[in-house]
Amino acid sequence: ATTVSEQRGSQKMKTTLLCLILTIVPLTALADLDILACEPEWAALADEIGGDKVKTSSATNPFQDPHYIQARPSLISKVRRADLLICSGAQLEIGWLPMLLRRGNNPSVTPPAPGYFEASSFVNRLDVTGSTDRSQGDMHPQGNPHVQTNPHNIMLIANALAERLALLDADNADFYRQRLADFRQRWSAAIEGWEERAAPLRGKRVIAHHKSWIYLEDWLGMIELATLEPVPGIPPTATHLSGLLQRFAGTDSADYIIRAPFQSDKPSHWLSERTGIPAVLLPLTVGGSEQATDLFSFFDDIIDRLLAAQG
């Protein structure tokens, strides 16, 4: 049997351990930056640079059109908890992000707070129009927001993201910069390999479902001839597809018809069956195919699919 003194000593030890746990656990939790990305590619990049110092999630999945999602309660809760919000910007998320920020009511991630990071602002945006005429369809006057399909853009954004992480979490600044240096070395080697493999794609002509691929085309020297959408954001119509059939039914045709996973395959298959132009599904972000499991395999898979369709 234990004595009263031993019981008291045991209780005191338990109390001391409990106090120690309660002291340590919150500090451990606070050491991580809670990151919400608007699209999966930015969550993947934050993981590359942040490592185990960050916790990431994405507001959209690879099979959703990032132009159109609902501000669900679960996303509102994530905004409230976030230390950093990473979005493509250039008004890609204009249909849902303002409502999400308003309901989340987190000043730390509301522009222009440093907890808001607009990825496309760190690269040279293409197709800048300045026009807000909605009769032209789903226009982005600040430029095309789908910057993630050029790996050189990814590197520029990674540089800026590492500095933003260092600003928000100064205690781990050296860690983020070391992770960036490692990523930069691996990424540069990967770009060299991709560009060598993709050399046969230069000059290839493309019909795209939506103008999602202009950064990929600019990088690889491909030429976009038309889109399946009559105007950006408007689903393909029978009249427009018939016009494309007349235009591309001859011998001087296109080399690919490409679309993203969340876009209907019917228009591209319809045109492909009547013209013989290969219809190719490409992942638009990380997770958009079984093979595209991270940023590196994302570009591997895009090039693999284009080369395979070339035959």
Side-chain angles (χ1 to χ4, degrees):
T2 59
T3 65
V4 173
S5 177
E6 288 173 335
Q7 290 176 348
R8 289 176 178 172
S10 176
Q11 185 63 40
K12 184 176 181 181
M13 183 178 294
K14 290 178 180 178
T15 302
T16 302
L17 287 172
L18 180 60
C19 291
L20 182 61
I21 291 171
L22 290 175
T23 300
I24 293 174
V25 170
L27 290 176
T28 303
L30 289 173
D32 292 338
L33 286 177
D34 195 321
I35 298 177
L36 175 62
C38 287
E39 292 82 29
E41 61 268 22
W42 310 130
L45 184 59
D47 282 331
E48 289 283 353
I49 307 302
D52 61 4
K53 304 299 183 186
V54 302
K55 296 180 293 184
T56 62
S57 60
S58 176
T60 59
N61 68 57
F63 305 101
Q64 288 178 300
D65 186 338
H67 292 87
Y68 313 107
I69 70 165
Q70 293 181 335
R72 303 186 306 274
S74 60
L75 289 181
I76 294 170
S77 177
K78 288 182 178 181
V79 168
R80 287 175 181 158
R81 297 195 307 266
D83 301 302
L84 177 63
L85 177 64
I86 308 175
C87 297
S88 292
Q91 298 187 351
L92 175 64
E93 305 92 357
I94 194 171
W96 53 273
L97 184 58
M99 180 181 295
L100 198 61
L101 288 170
R102 189 163 57 249
R103 293 185 178 180
N105 192 27
N106 181 352
S108 297
V109 298
T110 302
Y116 177 75
F117 182 92
E118 186 177 80
S120 68
S121 67
F122 298 98
V123 306
N124 178 34
R125 292 174 180 153
L126 303 178
D127 280 359
V128 178
T129 65
S131 173
T132 56
D133 184 358
R134 303 309 294 178
S135 67
Q136 300 177 46
D138 188 12
M139 298 297 293
H140 297 284
Q142 298 173 2
N144 190 296
H146 305 289
V147 299
Q148 76 278 8
T149 58
N150 183 332
H152 293 284
N153 287 345
I154 298 290
M155 190 68 259
L156 293 172
I157 295 165
N159 291 335
L161 180 57
E163 288 307 307
R164 187 64 58 89
L165 293 175
L167 174 66
L168 296 174
D169 182 15
D171 289 343
N172 291 308
D174 288 342
F175 174 83
Y176 299 130
R177 289 171 182 139
Q178 289 169 4
R179 294 275 302 187
L180 173 66
D182 175 71
F183 175 74
R184 185 188 290 120
Q185 183 177 15
R186 292 182 291 120
W187 197 247
S188 297
I191 289 177
E192 185 177 346
W194 291 326
E195 291 178 347
E196 182 178 347
R197 289 184 55 229
L201 301 176
R202 181 164 294 277
K204 296 299 179 182
R205 298 159 296 178
V206 173
I207 302 170
H209 186 109
H210 177 77
K211 290 189 73 66
S212 308
W213 308 98
I214 66 168
Y215 295 95
L216 177 74
E217 295 156 358
D218 182 65
W219 170 45
L220 297 180
M222 303 174 75
I223 304 165
E224 186 171 296
L225 301 177
T227 60
L228 297 180
E229 295 177 338
V231 294
I234 304 300
T237 63
T239 300
H240 183 65
L241 290 174
S242 295
L244 293 176
L245 176 59
Q246 292 179 5
R247 179 179 172 186
F248 295 108
T251 55
D252 187 22
S253 187
D255 298 291
Y256 302 104
I257 305 169
I258 59 177
R259 68 177 179 90
F262 52 81
Q263 293 159 344
S264 172
D265 62 354
K266 293 180 180 179
S268 57
H269 285 170
W270 184 92
L271 189 59
S272 175
E273 289 168 358
R274 288 160 176 77
T275 60
I277 304 170
V280 186
L281 172 66
L282 296 180
L284 189 58
T285 185
V286 173
S289 68
E290 290 185 5
Q291 294 76 22
T293 57
D294 58 22
L295 286 169
F296 290 87
S297 55
F298 168 54
F299 284 99
D300 284 337
D301 193 41
I302 287 176
I303 294 172
D304 286 345
R305 287 170 181 260
L306 289 172
L307 291 175
Q310 187 183 21

